[in-house]
Amino acid sequence: MFDWSDLSLLMLTTLCGLYWWNDQGMRQRVLEACTRHCLDREVQLLDQSVSLRRLWLRRDEWGRFRFWRLYEFEFASRENDRYKGRAVTLGARVLDIALEPYPITGS
């Protein structure tokens, strides 16, 4: 049957799978929020992707531990210029999206 090491390995594998599944959903939410943010500022989100750069546990406003994530992405205000942007999340909420300073193109 199962011994404790088998059960521990099964639990660890399950937890890793649940984290991966949750992370994919969060990545999609951040990508949608960054796409809207870039459209509002009339810049182009490049590569249609965001990448996770940092991950911590932090407390939310109710004192519960949540994953704090920092995502980075690239955008362009002109065809050949690339700039970096960042998105910060806490739990399932996107807290902030910030863009590097970039030249504003004329209309």
Side-chain angles (χ1 to χ4, degrees), residues 7-56:
L7 186 58
S8 297
L9 183 61
L10 179 62
M11 288 178 63
L12 181 63
T13 303
T14 302
L15 286 174
C16 288
L18 287 172
Y19 171 75
W20 179 83
W21 182 57
N22 182 30
D23 186 59
Q24 295 304 307
M26 194 65 224
R27 183 182 306 270
Q28 185 62 35
R29 265 189 230 134
V30 170
L31 179 60
E32 290 169 3
C34 289
T35 301
R36 283 191 308 272
H37 191 80
C38 287
L39 284 173
D40 290 346
R41 278 139 189 88
E42 297 179 359
V43 296
Q44 180 183 6
L45 178 66
L46 299 175
D47 307 325
Q48 296 300 308
S49 67
V50 294
S51 58
L52 181 65
R53 290 295 177 222
R54 294 188 186 146
L55 175 70
W56 279 293

Side-chain angles (χ1 to χ4, degrees), residues 64-81:
R64 293 179 290 192
F65 281 106
R66 299 281 186 228
F67 281 117
W68 179 92
R69 295 174 174 102
L70 172 66
Y71 291 91
E72 288 185 348
F73 59 93
E74 290 188 330
F75 69 96
S77 65
R78 297 185 195 150
E79 288 185 29
N80 295 325
D81 297 334

